[in-house]
Amino acid sequence: MDVGFIGLGRMGGPMARNLVKAGHRVRAWNRSPVAGELADGMDLVATPAEALQAEAAFTMLADDAAIREVLLSSGALQSARPGLVHAVASTISVGFAGELRARHAEAGLGYVSAPVLGRPDAAEAAQLAVMVAGEKDAVAKVCPLLDAIGRRTWVLGEDPGQANAAKIAANMMLAMAIEALAEAVVLTGGYGLAPEAFFDLILGTLFGCSAYSIYSTKIASGDFEPGFAMNLGLKDLRLAAAASEKTGRRLPMLDALRGRMAEAVAAGLGDKDWSAIADYARQA
Ligand code: NAP
C-alpha cells in the first residue's frame, strides 16, 4: 500500500522501517533531518501535507500539541488525498482523539486511534501490542499495516477515544509498577538487601511478568538512558488524570504518582527514562 508516515522519533522510525520491510511504499516526514540509513527504503518528503498523499497514513509525533501544529494549524489535513485513512499511534488525550475524529470527518477522511504498547526495542522487532478503535471500514483498511508493526492488534471499539483510554490506563499501570519497584527497593535497601536479590525473589514468585521484569532490570542496572522519556511519561499521567476527571472520578494513586513524577521532572530528570523515578525515590 502507499503509506504516509509523520514523525520518525524513537518509536516512529522503527515502525516506518517495518512498513517498508513488509513491502509498503512509505513517504515519510520528520521535522528534523533524519540520517539516511534510518530512512532506508523510504521516500523522505519535505512537508507533512506530502506525507498525506497516500492511501493510509500514520502519525507518531510526541503529543497533542505537536499533532495540532503539524496537521491541523498547518492546513495539511485539508489537502490530504481523498479517501485517506489516518492512524494516530501517538499517546494522545481522549478529548483530542474526539476532535481529530470530527476534523477528519469534515475533510472526508477516515480516522482511527492506534496507540501502541512496547518500547523502541519492541518497535524495532515489530513486536508492539497495538490497540485500535474507529469506524469498522477504517479499521479494516489499516489492520494489515498494524500487522506489520506489531505482534497483535486488539480492536477495541468504534469510538477512537476508547483505544486512547486503554493506552493511557495501561501507561498509568506501568508507572505504578515502576513506583512499586522503586519503593520496595527503598524499603528493603534500608535493611541491607541488594536490589538484585529482592528482584530475583519477586520475579520468581508473585510478580513474574514483563512489566516488572523490564523495569527491575533497568532499575538494577542504573542505566536510565531514555527508551521512554520521563517528560512523555508525565504527559501520560496528566492525560490519565484528565481522562478520569472527565468522567467525574478521582484516582488517588494516580494523583500521588503524578505529583511525584512532576517533582522528578522539575529536578531535571525529564530527559531520562521514566524508570529514573526509582533513582529519585532512592535519593529522596
Ligand atoms: P521521540 O523520540 O521524542 O519522538 C517524538 C517525535 O515527535 C519526533 O519525530 C519529533 O520530531 C516529533 N515532534 C515533537 N514535537 C514536534 C513538533 N512541535 N513539530 C513537529 N514534530 C514534533 O518520542 P517517542 O518515544 O518516539 O514517542 C512518540 C509517541 O509515542 C509519544 O506520544 C509517546 O508517548 C508514544 N509512545 C512512546 C513509547 C516509548 O517507549 N518511547 C512507547 C509507546 C508509545 P524531531 O525529531 O524533529 O524532534
Side-chain angles (χ1 to χ4, degrees), residues 53-69:
Q53 303 311 309
E55 292 165 75
F58 281 86
T59 287
M60 196 47 160
L61 297 174
D63 55 17
D64 293 18
I67 297 173
R68 184 177 294 287
E69 183 186 326

Side-chain angles (χ1 to χ4, degrees), residues 22-58:
H24 300 289
R25 180 179 170 213
V26 177
R27 53 179 73 226
W29 177 83
N30 197 63
R31 175 180 60 178
S32 315
V34 176
E37 69 273 15
L38 295 180
D40 203 17
M42 297 177 210
D43 295 334
L44 286 176
V45 294
T47 63
E50 286 172 70
L52 297 180
Q53 303 311 309
E55 292 165 75
F58 281 86

Side-chain angles (χ1 to χ4, degrees), residues 7-12 29-32 60-63 65-66 69-70 89-92 116-120 167 171 227-229 232 235-236:
L8 300 173
R10 286 190 189 95
M11 295 293 289
W29 177 83
N30 197 63
R31 175 180 60 178
S32 315
M60 196 47 160
L61 297 174
D63 55 17
E69 183 186 326
V70 169
S90 311
T91 308
I92 59 169
V116 300
L117 278 173
R119 292 167 58 89
K167 166 63 192 177
N171 265 24
F228 183 51
L232 291 177
K235 177 249 317 176
D236 290 355

Side-chain angles (χ1 to χ4, degrees), residues 12 28 32 39 52 54 59 62 68 73-74 76 81 91 93 95 99 106 115 132 139 164 199 204 213 226 259 276:
S32 315
L52 297 180
T59 287
R68 184 177 294 287
S73 311
S74 69
R81 180 159 142 187
T91 308
S93 66
E99 185 183 340
E106 280 162 25
V132 65
V139 168
N164 300 102
F199 291 152
S213 167

